[in-house]
Amino acid sequence: MSELPGLDGLLGVEHVELTADKVVVRFTITDRHLQPFGIPHGGIYCAVHESTASIAGQIWIGTKGVVVGTNNSTDFLRQAKNGDTITTTATPIHRGRTQQLWHLDSVDQDGRLIAQGQVRLANLPQEVPADVVEKMTGSTVG
């Protein structure tokens, strides 16, 4: 799979499943994810959660608007370690005309919950060319 653009690419995120009802991504903790004390930086989970929810929200809204994050709440429940593979899954809590709310779980390769969160998105009434969505998500929308 080709490297993703932007922060997801820098973090080594790989898209596993992309649908309007669920988005799953995966990345492996490496030295680039660690804070100075040698443990994964919590900002990784916040960033991956927001990106994953945004992809899911954009797939759902399609070309009818643009989604932007307005709130990101992430709780860190267990410490991962270098070499762990983290899978993050976004599922909808609410999808409405002006906003969306997504639930996110990040688990390690043994299925243990590492971080959990919610991301609220605003639906901006702006037309988006389908090729932009396709480039971002690797899938077509309509």
Side-chain angles (χ1 to χ4, degrees):
M1 178 171 262
S2 64
E3 186 171 298
L4 297 172
L7 185 57
D8 279 356
L10 290 173
L11 294 176
V13 174
E14 170 192 0
H15 292 165
V16 176
E17 180 179 344
L18 299 167
T19 71
D21 296 317
K22 180 168 80 169
V23 168
V24 180
V25 304
R26 179 175 43 224
F27 64 98
T28 299
I29 301 289
T30 66
D31 289 341
R32 67 182 160 190
H33 300 104
L34 305 181
Q35 46 103 306
F37 300 105
I39 61 175
H41 193 290
I44 298 162
Y45 304 106
C46 295
V48 172
H49 283 186
E50 184 157 339
S51 177
T52 305
S54 294
I55 291 166
Q58 192 64 57
I59 291 171
W60 179 75
I61 202 168
T63 57
K64 297 179 190 91
V66 174
V67 300
V68 295
T70 59
N71 188 55
N72 182 334
S73 174
T74 300
D75 294 306
F76 314 112
L77 305 169
R78 177 186 300 269
Q79 180 180 315
K81 61 186 181 311
N82 207 343
D84 283 350
T85 298
I86 307 299
T87 301
T88 299
T89 303
T91 53
I93 297 170
H94 168 79
R95 295 181 288 193
R97 183 179 54 81
T98 61
Q99 65 181 346
Q100 301 179 47
L101 183 62
W102 289 81
H103 174 84
L104 295 110
D105 284 329
S106 289
V107 301
D108 68 10
Q109 65 278 353
D110 297 320
R112 294 178 297 198
L113 190 59
I114 303 296
Q116 185 174 68
Q118 289 188 159
V119 172
R120 182 174 303 280
L121 305 170
N123 300 332
L124 302 180
Q126 177 178 331
E127 183 136 349
V128 182
D131 64 320
V132 172
V133 177
E134 185 174 357
K135 181 185 257 185
M136 180 180 79
T137 65
S139 64
T140 58
V141 295

